[in-house]
Amino acid sequence: MAKELIKAVDRSGTESLKWGIYPPDILPMWVADMDFEVPEPVIEALQQRISHKVFGYGMNLENLIEVIVARMKKLQNWDIDPESVLLLPGLVCGLNIACRVIGEDGDGVLVNTPVYPPFLSAPSNQRKVLQSAPQSCQIRDGFIHYSMDLGGIGAAVEDNTRLFILCNPHNPTGRAFTRQELLDLAEMCERKNLVICSDEIHCDLLMGDSRHISIASLDPEIADRTMTFIAPSKTYNIPGLGCSAAIIPNRELRLRVKALFDGIVSQPNVLGMYAALAAYSSCDAWLDALKRYLTGNRDFLVEYLQKNMPGIRTTLPEATYLAWLDCRDCGIEGNPHKFFLEKARVALNDGTMFGEGGEGFVRLNFGCSRETLEEALGRMRKALG
């Protein structure tokens, strides 16, 4: 069933950033963008809207917000007032908005490294100071396992720290944080008087029996100090259509965000909203098939590395389609990203882009056909000799 619904396509020559930025002989396994066809209900919704043949100024789709509210109730048992939901064109935009509205110029924004690179750039973009605390890292059953070091996070909070940006599920480590981890984090943020910005863009991409928990769903008081960002873009492979949502229960904070939107942040385009509506309301079977396919890819990846490249340790992702590979003990001199790009003709993400704790690592995107994944791993193995 998974193979019938999940179809990989040749994306070369299609203005794809993933496939177009490198020469044709390089296999791209980097940016978080899958090679699978979009689910058919999304295509049908777009075709129906295009048949209208007019693309004037649009308005928010009220039923899209209703679907988001119902979805969060179903998946998280979280009751959300529809007024709490704001639509916006992207999650990176949302990160920058959070950094802009919380605190004054020169105040601190705390992140947990290694982490998605826009977490590291958004604070300075908005005249704030980046502060960071490393995640705790251990080896469990042969895999790299990351967890929140609450003591380290708390110690990194300074007098001027105003915001903590959470990535859950986590990019690049693939963690889906537990209820207790999130409760402990929320308690620390309350004690330190920090607003939480929770990027949950990978929340539907769960491996095996993993579960996603929105931190704001745990308690109304936690929700009152949290901005939650979600999007269908990664899950349904529609990032180019630009439609995301911010869930901000705190009215004062929400009004500050809306005020910042005026003249700076556009609403999502009409096609993006129709795609999001179709994805969230009509694609459950496709998503179930995708998760099975990606879980199979993950398992193939870790087994291949253990058997053929034992010098490379990896995470066992609980969510996302991203693997975080530790190449420090596999005999590579210098930067492993550069090594695999030049010697294997495989493009991975350079771990140094993810901040402290990323040196010597690469991030591999396994959101592709099994054949492409096997080819990339074969090239990497050959390059290592």
Side-chain angles (χ1 to χ4, degrees):
M1 183 65 171
K3 287 187 176 180
E4 293 176 6
L5 288 177
I6 307 306
K7 303 173 183 176
V9 294
D10 180 2
R11 301 179 62 194
S12 57
T14 60
E15 296 76 46
S16 163
L17 174 68
K18 178 181 180 181
W19 285 85
I21 199 169
Y22 289 106
D25 67 320
I26 290 181
L27 205 54
M29 310 293 288
W30 62 294
V31 66
D33 178 349
M34 296 188 294
D35 293 334
F36 305 126
E37 286 185 359
V38 169
E40 194 59 34
V42 172
I43 299 299
E44 292 172 357
L46 291 172
Q47 289 173 334
Q48 182 177 356
R49 182 60 184 83
I50 288 169
S51 69
H52 182 243
K53 301 179 182 179
V54 177
F55 304 97
Y57 294 119
M59 298 172 60
N60 283 349
L61 295 181
E62 290 302 321
N63 49 342
L64 173 56
I65 291 178
E66 293 171 3
V67 165
I68 290 172
V69 170
R71 183 179 181 82
M72 299 311 287
K73 176 63 176 177
K74 176 183 176 182
L75 297 179
Q76 301 292 326
N77 195 28
W78 181 15
D79 292 305
I80 299 169
D81 186 332
E83 291 188 358
S84 298
V85 182
L86 305 179
L87 301 180
L88 67 160
L91 261 291
V92 173
C93 170
L95 295 175
N96 280 269
I97 289 167
C99 291
R100 174 68 68 90
V101 301
I102 303 302
E104 306 295 333
D105 289 1
D107 280 344
V109 176
L110 182 59
V111 303
N112 212 195
T113 56
V115 74
Y116 180 48
F119 280 44
L120 306 175
S121 58
S124 61
N125 288 345
Q126 307 306 326
R127 300 190 292 274
K128 301 301 194 297
V129 176
L130 173 67
Q131 298 165 342
S132 64
Q135 295 181 72
S136 176
C137 179
Q138 301 90 27
I139 302 299
R140 295 185 183 175
D141 300 321
F143 295 104
I144 310 168
H145 181 82
Y146 286 87
S147 58
M148 293 187 202
D149 177 0
L150 268 296
I153 294 174
V157 176
E158 300 182 15
D159 291 342
N160 70 338
T161 309
R162 299 289 179 265
L163 176 68
F164 179 83
I165 309 182
L166 169 67
C167 191
N168 181 36
H170 194 273
N171 174 6
T173 69
R175 280 298 317 282
F177 293 113
T178 66
R179 177 183 179 86
Q180 192 58 55
E181 285 177 301
L182 296 171
L183 284 169
D184 291 344
L185 175 67
E187 188 278 330
M188 188 278 296
C189 288
E190 180 181 12
R191 184 161 33 86
K192 300 285 188 177
N193 196 27
L194 304 183
V195 174
I196 301 169
C197 170
S198 185
D199 175 354
E200 302 184 10
I201 196 170
H202 292 278
C203 65
D204 297 308
L205 293 165
L206 301 170
M207 304 288 103
D209 297 325
S210 298
R211 183 187 172 207
H212 169 71
I213 301 171
S214 291
I215 190 169
S217 72
L218 296 174
D219 183 271
E221 292 186 3
I222 298 173
D224 195 55
R225 64 169 59 248
T226 301
M227 307 166 66
T228 303
F229 292 96
I230 62 171
S233 53
K234 300 299 183 186
T235 303
Y236 302 96
N237 210 27
I238 51 174
L241 291 175
C243 182
S244 305
I247 304 171
I248 311 175
N250 184 296
R251 182 176 183 274
E252 179 184 354
L253 179 55
R254 186 169 67 251
L255 291 177
R256 286 160 59 190
V257 170
K258 291 178 73 172
L260 181 61
F261 278 17
D262 292 342
I264 299 177
V265 179
S266 65
Q267 69 178 25
N269 69 71
V270 171
L271 295 182
M273 289 189 288
Y274 271 86
L277 179 61
Y280 280 153
S281 58
S282 304
C283 297
D284 287 352
W286 184 92
L287 178 55
D288 287 343
L290 174 70
K291 290 190 291 187
R292 289 194 298 272
Y293 194 98
L294 292 177
T295 300
N297 272 4
R298 178 201 67 178
D299 294 345
F300 176 83
L301 166 70
V302 299
E303 183 178 349
Y304 190 100
L305 289 175
Q306 290 173 336
K307 181 178 179 180
N308 299 291
M309 291 180 272
I312 297 180
R313 284 201 177 99
T314 180
T315 51
L316 183 65
E318 299 162 343
T320 80
Y321 45 78
L322 306 167
W324 185 236
L325 310 183
D326 182 355
C327 304
R328 291 173 295 179
D329 294 330
C330 66
I332 293 174
E333 292 186 9
N335 185 301
H337 163 260
K338 184 177 180 181
F339 172 84
F340 286 120
L341 185 65
E342 295 178 351
K343 304 298 184 182
R345 310 306 282 171
V346 174
L348 307 164
N349 283 104
D350 187 345
T352 60
M353 297 172 55
F354 297 81
E356 184 179 359
E359 187 174 357
F361 286 74
V362 291
R363 190 189 73 174
L364 183 149
N365 171 1
F366 56 86
C368 59
S369 71
R370 182 70 54 78
E371 292 76 17
T372 297
L373 177 59
E374 188 170 7
E375 170 68 18
L377 293 172
R379 292 186 187 190
M380 293 167 67
R381 176 190 181 185
K382 185 177 179 180
L384 288 172

